[in-house]
């Protein structure tokens, strides 16, 4: 029996559970080996390859040194590289991740972005083989890194619109704005087909319907790139698209981000592959490999999928790029070394902060033959082919960087239309909507005047939590847009987040929903929507005062909202509509003619849950459901029982999730300890703590009852890595009990990722009162100690773990 359990990397903790549709006794590698003959056939357009261009690439390859070729296979993030580094390391590509901005400014202007890109480009043209860098960015719902850009609804809302022509126009507008900042490549569209919406990236998928996703894949690719033409590059207002994430990122067990899709090949093809042939046929220049796995094998290392299916059966002739250090999750690889990924069919490593190590290790593997020269040359050819098609090569290079394209009026108009078309009406009893002209209207709730809530993740920053209305002066919050429309119709309107008023309103529009999130932070244990403190009481108060209530629900997924639906006279699923709040007002508020400018046309892109369980077997509303002013019905009371233990799942199971403090807990820290987000196996999936002097940090929050977990034999699990040791005791505390874990923390070499289990019974025996715990973790250590923490949670483990000793007083 041991108190500590360690693993060399989190990726190695994967356990494979084989579905009944697959032979359980087959090796994992066989379960994840595709048969290309079963897959849909497609082909990149012949226009992607011209005899003249291929000859030029051949001449380049003949002149390039091995160092220059390997450099083309590596992509670094702007936060970890300077333009002058390219004179020593001839990299092929640069990206700006979700939290990276020019010169460290996340709110830089389009002109600053273009200036920075050109600085990298200039050095790359003048060094090595003279091949310009390819610059990529996550522009996933408009050019969402830029203030003043046009921010469209996230993909889930666009799926509700069911309008491929609209998608094409959005792609064209987005491409123009990306180009306006001097950039030529976006990591979009996402072609995931989410099956379990507990997944935190569900809103990046258009729908659970593979056919709808396929139609949108074609439309968005054409929108972003335009029609590819033989012998000519894309014009200056178009950019390269990326079909991602290949494959089944939306099909993982329990909706776990970067998880494992434990499904048959037939299901993999039917549900998750349909968007890729459509994008490839439309000319998509790039495809991004998924972090996730298929039956235990990481996609970054699956030759049968990347080479045999994607490049073979599907006829893809562009480049395959990895995801953020995703190659490092392949068994036997690390973030800085993975020849297996290139051999499997990856062409371009996304090595944001690991690029130097990746370059050196790949060069060594090419020299000693672990990567065949034919594979190196093929990857370079594909990368340079894309650069030719983007107009980066040759003397007459395509000039991008017209900042006037960013936030153009015609783009904002499209976004407003998209918002209106994305709204889904689930309830409208007694025709409370549209709001009649001349009405007195209160706009309330946390989302009434909150640009971050309506824009969601991937807006200015990765998680989108600090987006402000001031970032988008060309946009409107939902509350302000509704208020303007009500006043224009002769009514009165006021915004009050807490729902208080002086004069009784006729109607209250209550805007509530999820706080912003992106990957990692967005994964949830169930589909229950948990209202913020006071929100349920506010709506109940409005009901008791005889005020008609319209709920506008902001979320990145359908959620269990039974009580909220029952409290509302009308309920609108608004998803994450972006910055153009007027699109909401266009549908909700009647004009002077007594009619709204637009009717509801949105339909559910996913089923809506009847309770909080997932996957959803028995929905409240089916996919495709949606009311309109022309199609009215009365909705009776719906189920209010989540059928899960809301208190347990929300407050008493997870304290830190992928480096972020889980709600409702908070991190209390002082000058003794400093912290910053870092990577362990994915982008900012952990937080590093450095002890500047002897001291402690704490995770505190509401008092919760942990006695049920004590009875179940649960343990506190800390997933962490010791980065620097120092002399002195290291202690864990929970409630009133403090335990010394110094021996365990020093049992493995620095840099080893550990899983430390401390049973709750150990804390109980040491004096913790588990009936009311408000401080589930405090870590004290001496000056100089540095540790990186990924997850802290309770996990049922049984009672076979030895307790650490009680800390000295």
């Amino acid at each position: 029996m041991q108190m500590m359990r360690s693993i060399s990397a989190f990726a190695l903790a994967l356990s494979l559970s084989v579905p009944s549709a697959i032979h359980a006794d087959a090796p994992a590698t066989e379960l994840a080996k595709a048969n290309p003959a079963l897959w849909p056939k497609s082909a990149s357009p012949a226009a992607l390859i011209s005899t003249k261009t291929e000859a030029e690439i051949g001449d380049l390859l003949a002149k390039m040194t091995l160092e220059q070729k390997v450099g083309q296979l590596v992509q670094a993030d702007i936060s970890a590289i300077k333009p002058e580094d390219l004179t020593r390391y001839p990299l092929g590509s640069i990206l700006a991740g979700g939290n990276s901005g020019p010169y460290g400014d996340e709110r830089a202007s389009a002109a600053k972005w273009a200036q920075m890109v050109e600085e990298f480009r200039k050095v790359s043209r003048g060094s090595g083989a003279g091949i310009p860098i390819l610059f990529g960015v996550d522009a996933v719902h408009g050019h969402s890194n830029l203030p003043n850009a046009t921010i469209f609804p996230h993909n889930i809302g666009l799926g509700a619109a069911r309008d491929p022509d609209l998608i094409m126009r959005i792609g064209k507008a987005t491409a123009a704005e990306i180009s306006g900042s001097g950039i030529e490549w976006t990591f979009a569209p996402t072609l995931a087909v989410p099956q379990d919406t507990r997944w935190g990236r569900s809103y990046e998928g258009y729908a659970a319907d593979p056919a709808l996703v396929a139609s949108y894949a074609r439309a968005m690719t054409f929108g972003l790139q335009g029609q590819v033409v033989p012998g000519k590059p894309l014009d200056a207002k178009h950019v390269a698209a990326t079909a991602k994430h290949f494959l089944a990122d939306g099909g993982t067990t329990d909706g776990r981000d970067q998880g494992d899709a434990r499904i048959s090949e037939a299901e993999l093809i039917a549900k998750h592959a349909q968007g890729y042939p459509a994008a490839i046929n439309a000319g998509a220049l790039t495809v991004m490999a998924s972090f996730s796995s298929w039956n235990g094998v990481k996609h970054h290392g699956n030759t049968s999928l990347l080479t045999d299916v994607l490049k073979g059966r599907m006829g893809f002739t562009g480049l395959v790029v990895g995801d953020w250090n995703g190659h490092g999750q392949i068994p036997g690889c690390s973030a800085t070394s993975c020849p297996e990924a290139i051999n499997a069919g990856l062409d371009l490593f996304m090595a944001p902060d690991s690029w130097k190590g990746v370059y050196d290790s790949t060069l060594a593997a090419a020299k000693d033959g672990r990567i065949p020269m034919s594979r190196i040359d093929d990857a370079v050819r594909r990368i340079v082919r894309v650069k030719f098609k983007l107009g980066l090569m040759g003397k007459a290079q395509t000039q991008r960087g017209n900042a006037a394209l960013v936030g153009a009026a015609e783009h904002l108009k499209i976004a407003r239309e998209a918002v209106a078309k994305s709204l889904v009406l689930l309830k409208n009893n007694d025709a409370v909507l549209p709001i009649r002209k001349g009405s007195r209207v209160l706009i309330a709730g946390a989302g009434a005047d909150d640009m971050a809530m309506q824009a969601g993740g991937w807006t200015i920053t990765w998680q989108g939590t600090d987006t402000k209305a001031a970032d988008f002066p060309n946009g409107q919050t939902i509350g302000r847009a509704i208020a303007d429309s009500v006043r224009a119709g002769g009514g009165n309107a006021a915004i009050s987040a807490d729902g208080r008023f002086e004069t009784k309103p006729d109607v209250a529009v209550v805007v509530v929903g999820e706080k912003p999130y992106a990957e990692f932070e967005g994964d949830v244990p169930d589909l229950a929507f948990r209202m913020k403190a006071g929100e349920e009481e506010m709506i109940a108060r409005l009901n008791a005062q005889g005020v008609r209530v319209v709920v506008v629900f902001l979320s990145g997924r359908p959620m269990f909202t039974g009580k909220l639906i029952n409290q509302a006279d009308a309920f609108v699923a608004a998803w994450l509509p972006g910055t153009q709040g007027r699109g909401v007002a266009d549908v909700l508020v009647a004009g002077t003619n007594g009619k709204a400018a637009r009717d509801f046309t949105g339909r559910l892109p996913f089923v809506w849950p009847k309770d909080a369980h997932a996957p959803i077997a028995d929905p409240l509303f089916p996919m495709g459901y949606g009311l309109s002013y022309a199609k009215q019905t009365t909705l009776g009371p719906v189920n209010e029982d989540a059928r899960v233990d809301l208190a347990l799942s929300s407050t008493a199971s997870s304290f830190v999730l992928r480096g972020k403090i889980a709600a409702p807990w908070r991190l209390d820290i002082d000058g003794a300890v400093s912290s910053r987000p870092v990577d362990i196996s994915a982008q900012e999936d952990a937080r590093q703590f450095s002890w500047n002097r002897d001291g402690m940090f704490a995770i505190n929050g509401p008092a919760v009852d942990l006695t049920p977990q004590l009875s179940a034999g649960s343990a506190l699990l800390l997933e962490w890595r010791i980065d620097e040791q120092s002399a002195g005791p290291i202690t864990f505390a929970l409630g009133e009990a403090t335990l010394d874990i110094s021996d365990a923390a020093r049992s493995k070499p620095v840099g080893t990722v550990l899983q430390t289990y401390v049973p709750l019974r150990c804390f109980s025996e040491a004096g913790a009162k588990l009936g009311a715990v408000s401080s589930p973790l405090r870590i004290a250590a001496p000056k100089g100690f540095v540790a990186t923490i990924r997850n802290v949670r309770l996990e049922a483990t049984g009672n076979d773990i030895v307790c650490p000793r009680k800390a000295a007083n």
Side-chain angles (χ1 to χ4, degrees), residues 607-618:
V607 297
W608 196 274
K610 184 180 290 185
D611 56 34
H613 284 284
I616 303 165
D618 181 23

Side-chain angles (χ1 to χ4, degrees), residues 7 11 17 125 148 219 408 463 469 519 539 557 570 581 622-623 658 705 708 710 741 753:
I7 53 174
S17 174
R125 288 193 190 106
N148 294 306
Q463 297 291 329
E519 54 195 304
I539 298 173
R557 62 192 127 215
M623 185 163 56
R658 299 179 178 95
D705 182 4
L710 174 65
I741 50 92
V753 177

Side-chain angles (χ1 to χ4, degrees), residues 530-576:
R530 295 165 174 86
M531 283 195 272
K532 316 298 181 292
E535 285 182 338
E536 186 175 325
E537 293 77 10
M538 174 187 67
I539 298 173
R541 185 177 67 248
L542 291 168
N543 289 156
Q545 291 166 328
V547 179
R548 307 297 297 278
V549 174
V550 175
V551 169
V552 175
F553 188 64
L554 301 174
S555 69
R557 62 192 127 215
M559 303 194 76
F560 169 64
T561 51
K563 187 165 187 176
L564 193 56
I565 290 174
N566 286 338
Q567 287 181 308
D569 296 285
F571 189 97
V572 179
W575 315 112
L576 301 170

Side-chain angles (χ1 to χ4, degrees), residues 487-504:
R487 291 168 189 144
N492 295 290
I495 299 175
S496 170
D498 65 3
R500 301 289 179 181
F501 55 81
E502 293 182 1
T503 303
K504 180 182 174 181

Side-chain angles (χ1 to χ4, degrees), residues 40-42 155 158-159 162-165 167-168 189-195 204-223 243-244 247 268-284 314 605-606 623:
K41 217 173 177 185
S42 59
N155 285 353
L158 300 182
R162 297 174 181 260
D163 187 341
D165 175 71
I167 300 307
M168 191 178 300
T190 296
L191 303 181
V193 186
Q195 300 298 299
E204 294 186 53
Y206 294 116
D209 177 7
L212 180 61
V213 172
S215 70
Y216 274 21
R218 179 181 184 276
M220 184 57 80
T221 301
F222 277 135
K244 69 176 190 182
L247 189 63
L268 183 68
I269 296 168
K271 288 184 179 177
H272 301 285
Q274 298 307 307
Y276 292 91
I280 291 167
N281 287 336
M314 291 186 179
F606 298 89
M623 185 163 56

Side-chain angles (χ1 to χ4, degrees), residues 149-151 409 412-413 415-417 419 447-455 468-485 495 554 577-586:
T150 304
I151 306 300
L412 298 172
K413 185 178 179 181
R416 182 174 178 173
E417 175 191 349
V419 172
D449 197 26
D450 190 319
M451 187 62 79
M453 278 186 67
Q454 68 186 61
K468 304 290 191 294
D471 293 322
F472 300 99
N474 52 12
Q476 318 81 35
T477 62
I478 292 171
R480 293 183 184 275
I482 290 175
D484 289 345
S485 293
I495 299 175
L554 301 174
T579 58
Q580 300 305 300
R582 287 181 185 143
V584 177
D586 287 342

Side-chain angles (χ1 to χ4, degrees), residues 324-392:
W324 192 278
N325 281 332
H327 54 274
Q329 297 185 15
I330 299 172
C333 290
S334 69
T336 56
S337 179
C338 193
E340 292 90 338
I342 296 295
N343 287 336
L346 198 74
D347 300 310
L348 181 61
F349 286 111
M350 186 181 285
D353 54 354
S354 59
W355 58 270
K356 280 187 182 179
V358 166
Y359 174 83
D360 291 338
S361 64
T362 305
L363 180 60
K367 285 180 176 179
D368 66 21
R370 282 176 289 152
I371 304 177
M373 187 55 62
S374 59
R375 178 74 271 269
I376 296 282
D377 283 349
D378 175 61
V380 175
R381 179 176 290 275
R382 287 169 176 272
I383 292 165
V384 177
R385 181 183 294 150
V386 169
K387 293 182 179 183
F388 267 102
K389 207 62 188 174
L390 289 169
L392 300 178

Side-chain angles (χ1 to χ4, degrees), residues 54-115:
E54 294 303 308
E56 289 186 59
I57 297 173
D59 290 342
L60 265 175
L61 285 168
K63 298 173 184 175
M64 292 172 73
T65 66
L66 181 59
E67 288 77 7
Q68 291 166 352
K69 290 179 178 180
V70 168
Q72 288 297 305
L73 275 56
V74 182
Q75 180 186 68
D77 185 79
I78 60 172
S79 64
I81 191 171
K82 294 180 173 63
E84 54 265 32
D85 290 328
L86 296 178
T87 60
R88 165 69 178 83
Y89 295 91
L91 304 193
S93 184
I94 305 292
L95 85 148
N99 282 339
S100 299
Y103 318 110
D105 182 5
E106 292 180 337
R107 286 172 165 79
S109 66
K112 277 194 173 182
W113 277 91
Q115 175 186 332

